[in-house]
Amino acid sequence: TQLLEQSPQFLSIQEGENLTVYCNSSSVFSSLQWYRQEPGEGPVLLVTVVTGGEVKKLKRLTFQFGDARKDSSLHITAAQPGDTGLYLCAASNDYKLSFGAGTTVTVRA
Amino acid sequence: KAGVTQTPRYLIKTRGQQVTLSCSPISGHRSVSWYQQTPGQGLQFLFEYFSETQRNKGNFPGRFSGRQFSNSRSEMNVSTLELGDSALYLCASSLAQGAFYYNEQFFGPGTRLTVL
């Protein structure tokens, strides 16, 4: 059973468009992380959000942690083909990461 | 600084066999975690080790086991392989200083196990 629900499961957009990926849960988390995984590689950490209502920006990526610390979103502005990959949200507790199922993002040139 | 290395990268086994996968963490990292990734179940936590002690274990059968050595290198073993064990097995390491979630997890490229 996934504690974290990610939507959509798949997203295909044209270069230059914007996209948003969501991560929701009924549980409250002390922190939430976003990873990107490319084929043949392990996930790479993009950001960790800790405070409810927190917004973090990483170039064209904007991450938000919900006020109640139960949900998060990842927004990409002006997507590029290099943004293609599997985006995963993860919650950390008891010395482990619990991952959502992931959103596969394809950016077409 | 070298990243997390996993060996072998690819492995083909038959049902009933056993397999041992190896993970070398980033130098100085003391925590090593293992995850199984499949298309159907996504990334599932297997176990985490710190200073040769298992601190947490996921919901996997006893056929899955692991250990960590004094140099922080880790191995995981799967006995009596089943078709459903086919997956990408990922290892992650971290410094393990302070709260767990403050420590960035660095993942290796994984070992692709195929069970025939």
Side-chain angles (χ1 to χ4, degrees), chain B residues 47-96:
Chain B
F47 18 68
E48 189 266 357
Y49 289 90
F50 175 79
S51 292
E52 303 179 67
T53 299
Q54 186 183 87
R55 295 196 293 187
N56 199 354
K57 187 179 191 301
N59 296 322
F60 280 82
R63 299 184 297 106
F64 291 81
S65 63
R67 59 177 175 170
Q68 186 181 35
F69 301 96
S70 58
N71 61 358
S72 294
R73 192 177 69 84
S74 178
E75 289 181 347
M76 67 163 283
N77 184 77
V78 187
S79 62
T80 319
L81 284 166
E82 301 177 358
L83 295 178
D85 297 333
S86 293
L88 180 67
Y89 289 88
L90 291 160
C91 165
S93 75
S94 72
L95 278 171

Side-chain angles (χ1 to χ4, degrees), chain B residues 5-40:
Chain B
T5 58
Q6 293 188 244
T7 56
R9 291 292 311 276
Y10 302 92
L11 205 50
I12 299 176
K13 292 285 188 178
T14 57
R15 279 181 299 174
Q17 287 187 309
Q18 74 165 18
V19 67
T20 298
L21 311 181
S22 180
C23 172
S24 292
I26 292 172
S27 177
H29 285 194
R30 299 168 64 190
S31 168
V32 173
S33 303
W34 289 90
Y35 294 83
Q36 181 196 66
Q37 187 173 28
T38 60

Side-chain angles (χ1 to χ4, degrees), chain A residues 1-2 9 30-31 33 35 37 40-46 48 50 86 88 92-101, chain B residues 9-10 33 35 37 41-45 47-48 55-58 88 90 100-110:
Chain A
T1 303
Q2 294 282 4
Q9 188 177 357
S30 55
S31 70
Q33 300 178 332
Y35 290 80
Q37 184 178 21
E41 300 179 9
V44 175
L45 180 67
L46 295 173
T48 299
V50 178
L86 176 66
L88 298 153
S92 175
N93 63 296
D94 295 334
Y95 307 115
K96 71 176 185 183
L97 291 172
S98 298
F99 286 89
Chain B
R9 291 292 311 276
Y10 302 92
S33 303
Y35 294 83
Q37 187 173 28
Q41 296 297 316
L43 270 154
Q44 300 287 318
F45 170 76
F47 18 68
E48 189 266 357
R55 295 196 293 187
N56 199 354
K57 187 179 191 301
L88 180 67
L90 291 160
F100 184 76
Y101 67 84
Y102 275 132
N103 292 268
E104 179 175 353
Q105 300 291 316
F106 292 85
F107 283 83

